[in-house]
Amino acid sequence: VADGRTDDGFGIQFGVNHLGHFLLSCLLLDHLKEGSGGRVVTLSSMAYRWGSIDFASLITNKHLGTGRYSWQFFPAYCNSKLCNVLFTHELAKRLQGTNVTCYSVHPGVVRTELSRNVSLWQKVFIEPVARLLFLDPVAGAQTTLHCALQEGLEPLSGRYFSCCAVQDVCPKAKDDAMARKLWEVSERLSGLS
């Protein structure tokens, strides 16, 4: 959660939260298919619900929203998390008939260093709240580990998990046309096409 650009010019939240993971997953797919049942687990967030994707702006500006103040970072974060869920939705379609499955995950609100780039006055507010209400990293890892390790999840490929259980997503997070377009734009932006 920060303002700025990646070294290759992408908005930091789009570049780090979506495009980097998209590229890494795509580069590893052939190797995963050679194995005996690989899984791609994408860390998303329930914040995807408040996300949107302006494809024209994304292609032109290489970001999904940005701003100088931390309250402006949140929409860009939500947008990147919608990308995570849509990526998983489309990846599952592309993996049908293979031994590789994929899942997107909301780990819960976890005490991490997510706020390390916010201002001091915001840290003074966030840190005590985080200590009181947020999950510790071990508890926050459980849904991710569940999707990576639990036997029998294969029929749920492409689904979204929270609290170690499959959850329904809002309609925009399973929009086939939007997921396909995001895939195509991500391929172009990451140099895969």
Side-chain angles (χ1 to χ4, degrees), residues 52-64:
S52 62
I53 302 173
D54 179 345
F55 285 105
S57 178
L58 174 60
I59 293 166
T60 302
N61 302 316
K62 297 169 79 174
H63 66 69
L64 290 170

Side-chain angles (χ1 to χ4, degrees), residues 114-127:
L114 187 64
S115 64
R116 68 183 168 271
N117 295 313
V118 300
S119 67
L120 179 59
W121 73 268
Q122 290 166 320
K123 281 185 185 182
V124 169
F125 172 74
I126 292 171
E127 296 303 322

